[in-house]
Amino acid sequence: MEKETRKKILRKIPYGLYILGLRDGEKLHAMVGSWLSQCSFEPPLLMLGLKKGSYSHTMLEHNPFFSINFPSKDQKKLVERFFRPHEAKDGKFGEVPFHVGKNGAPVLDEAIGHLECQAKQIIPGGDHDIVMAEVIDGELVQDVDSLTMKDTAWHYGG
Ligand SMILES: Cc1cc2nc3c(=O)[nH]c(=O)nc-3n(C[C@H](O)[C@H](O)[C@H](O)COP(=O)(O)O)c2cc1C
């Protein structure tokens, strides 16, 4: 199979866009993620493709509790801000305010909702591992559609 064809087909897989909130001791971090899917009703499990060797991967190995923040359709700029890492200072990642959720991970104040999760397993993959995580808690602040990859010109995949 041609690499270009494979890329085109793989890019037809629909993805959401999320901002993951992580904690390792006193260090807080947020990253953009898209390779996320529900994979069990009971218990409610999610699977996430997470880049090996990334800061977030290391953090999750140290502390399994993290948040998944959902941006609205008009919060493309919010997501863009996390294309590069921001130091958490005075309740903000750069300009973006957050609070600490029940599981200790940072939760973005402006997101339409979030889930609080606990990684149960990190399954070895290729250049990304699969994080199998249980949904422990969450909040829906605004019941509107969330931003998806299709709403943007971005790609992560192929
Ligand atoms: C649109 C978009 C989607 C992304 N999706 C994922 C993803 O699903 N999994 C992942 O590991 N990295 C993903 N990334 C890359 C991470 O955001 C990037 O590697 C991250 O900044 C590295 O994380 P670190 O700060 O923890 O080292 C995505 C990046 C963009 C721009």
Coordinates of all heavy atoms in Angstrom, one line a residue, residues 68-70 99-102 107-109 111-116 135-143:
I68 N -9.7 15.2 31.3 CA -9.9 15.4 29.9 C -10.9 16.5 29.8 O -12.0 16.4 30.2 CB -10.5 14.1 29.2 CG1 -9.5 12.9 29.4 CG2 -10.7 14.4 27.7 CD1 -10.1 11.6 28.9
N69 N -10.4 17.6 29.2 CA -11.2 18.8 29.0 C -11.7 19.0 27.6 O -11.0 18.8 26.7 CB -10.4 20.0 29.4 CG -9.9 20.0 30.8 OD1 -10.6 20.4 31.7 ND2 -8.7 19.4 31.1
F70 N -13.0 19.3 27.5 CA -13.7 19.4 26.2 C -13.9 20.8 25.8 O -14.6 21.6 26.5 CB -15.1 18.7 26.3 CG -15.0 17.2 26.5 CD1 -14.6 16.6 27.7 CD2 -15.3 16.3 25.4 CE1 -14.5 15.2 27.8 CE2 -15.2 15.0 25.6 CZ -14.8 14.4 26.8
H99 N -8.6 25.2 37.6 CA -8.7 24.9 39.0 C -8.3 23.4 39.1 O -8.2 22.7 38.1 CB -10.1 25.2 39.5 CG -11.2 24.4 38.9 ND1 -11.8 24.8 37.7 CD2 -11.8 23.2 39.2 CE1 -12.7 23.9 37.3 NE2 -12.7 22.9 38.2
V100 N -8.1 23.0 40.4 CA -7.7 21.6 40.6 C -9.0 20.8 40.8 O -9.8 21.1 41.6 CB -6.7 21.5 41.8 CG1 -6.5 20.1 42.1 CG2 -5.4 22.2 41.4
G101 N -9.1 19.7 40.1 CA -10.3 18.8 40.2 C -10.2 17.9 41.4 O -9.2 17.9 42.1
K102 N -11.2 17.1 41.6 CA -11.3 16.2 42.7 C -10.1 15.2 42.8 O -9.7 14.9 43.8 CB -12.6 15.4 42.7 CG -13.8 16.2 43.0 CD -15.1 15.3 43.0 CE -16.3 16.2 42.9 NZ -17.4 15.5 42.3
V107 N -8.1 21.3 35.8 CA -9.3 21.3 35.0 C -9.5 22.7 34.5 O -9.4 23.7 35.2 CB -10.5 21.0 35.9 CG1 -11.8 21.2 35.2 CG2 -10.5 19.5 36.4
L108 N -9.7 22.9 33.2 CA -9.7 24.2 32.6 C -11.1 24.8 32.9 O -12.2 24.2 32.6 CB -9.5 24.1 31.1 CG -8.2 23.6 30.6 CD1 -8.0 23.8 29.1 CD2 -7.0 24.2 31.3
D109 N -11.1 26.1 33.4 CA -12.3 26.7 33.8 C -13.2 27.0 32.6 O -14.4 27.0 32.7 CB -12.0 28.1 34.4 CG -11.3 28.0 35.7 OD1 -11.1 26.8 36.2 OD2 -10.9 29.0 36.3
A111 N -13.5 25.2 29.7 CA -14.0 24.1 28.9 C -15.5 23.9 29.2 O -16.1 24.3 30.2 CB -13.2 22.8 29.4
I112 N -16.2 23.2 28.2 CA -17.6 23.0 28.3 C -17.9 21.9 29.3 O -19.0 21.7 29.7 CB -18.3 22.8 26.9 CG1 -17.7 21.5 26.2 CG2 -18.2 24.0 26.1 CD1 -18.5 21.1 25.0
G113 N -16.9 21.1 29.6 CA -17.0 20.0 30.5 C -15.7 19.3 30.6 O -14.8 19.5 29.9
H114 N -15.7 18.4 31.6 CA -14.4 17.6 31.7 C -14.8 16.2 32.4 O -15.8 16.1 33.0 CB -13.4 18.3 32.6 CG -13.7 18.3 34.0 ND1 -14.6 19.3 34.6 CD2 -13.4 17.5 35.1 CE1 -14.7 19.0 35.9 NE2 -14.0 18.0 36.2
L115 N -13.8 15.3 32.2 CA -13.9 14.0 32.8 C -12.7 13.9 33.7 O -11.6 14.4 33.4 CB -13.9 12.9 31.8 CG -15.1 12.8 30.9 CD1 -14.8 11.7 29.8 CD2 -16.3 12.4 31.7
E116 N -12.8 13.2 34.9 CA -11.7 12.9 35.7 C -11.5 11.4 35.6 O -12.4 10.6 35.8 CB -12.0 13.4 37.2 CG -12.2 14.9 37.2 CD -11.9 15.5 38.6 OE1 -11.0 15.0 39.3 OE2 -12.6 16.4 38.9
V135 N -13.2 6.2 33.8 CA -13.9 7.5 34.1 C -14.4 7.5 35.6 O -15.2 6.6 35.9 CB -15.0 7.8 33.1 CG1 -15.8 9.1 33.5 CG2 -14.5 7.8 31.7
I136 N -13.9 8.4 36.4 CA -14.2 8.4 37.8 C -15.3 9.5 38.1 O -16.1 9.3 39.0 CB -12.9 8.7 38.7 CG1 -11.8 7.7 38.3 CG2 -13.2 8.7 40.1 CD1 -12.0 6.3 38.7
D137 N -15.1 10.6 37.5 CA -16.0 11.7 37.8 C -16.1 12.6 36.5 O -15.3 12.4 35.6 CB -15.5 12.5 39.0 CG -16.6 13.1 39.8 OD1 -17.6 13.5 39.2 OD2 -16.4 13.2 41.0
G138 N -16.8 13.7 36.7 CA -16.9 14.6 35.5 C -17.9 15.7 35.7 O -18.8 15.6 36.7
E139 N -17.9 16.7 34.9 CA -18.9 17.7 35.0 C -19.2 18.3 33.6 O -18.2 18.5 32.8 CB -18.3 18.8 35.9 CG -19.4 19.8 36.3 CD -18.8 21.0 37.0 OE1 -17.5 21.1 37.2 OE2 -19.5 21.9 37.4
L140 N -20.5 18.5 33.3 CA -20.8 19.1 32.0 C -21.3 20.5 32.4 O -22.4 20.7 33.0 CB -21.9 18.3 31.3 CG -22.2 18.8 29.9 CD1 -21.0 18.7 28.9 CD2 -23.4 17.9 29.3
V141 N -20.6 21.5 32.0 CA -20.9 22.9 32.3 C -21.9 23.5 31.3 O -22.9 24.2 31.6 CB -19.7 23.8 32.4 CG1 -20.0 25.2 32.8 CG2 -18.7 23.2 33.4
Q142 N -21.7 23.2 30.0 CA -22.5 23.7 28.9 C -22.8 22.5 28.0 O -21.8 21.9 27.4 CB -21.6 24.7 28.2 CG -22.1 26.1 28.3 CD -21.2 26.9 27.3 OE1 -20.0 27.0 27.4 NE2 -21.9 27.6 26.3
D143 N -24.0 22.2 27.8 CA -24.4 21.1 26.9 C -24.4 21.5 25.5 O -25.5 21.6 24.9 CB -25.7 20.4 27.4 CG -25.9 19.1 26.8 OD1 -25.1 18.6 26.0 OD2 -27.0 18.4 27.1

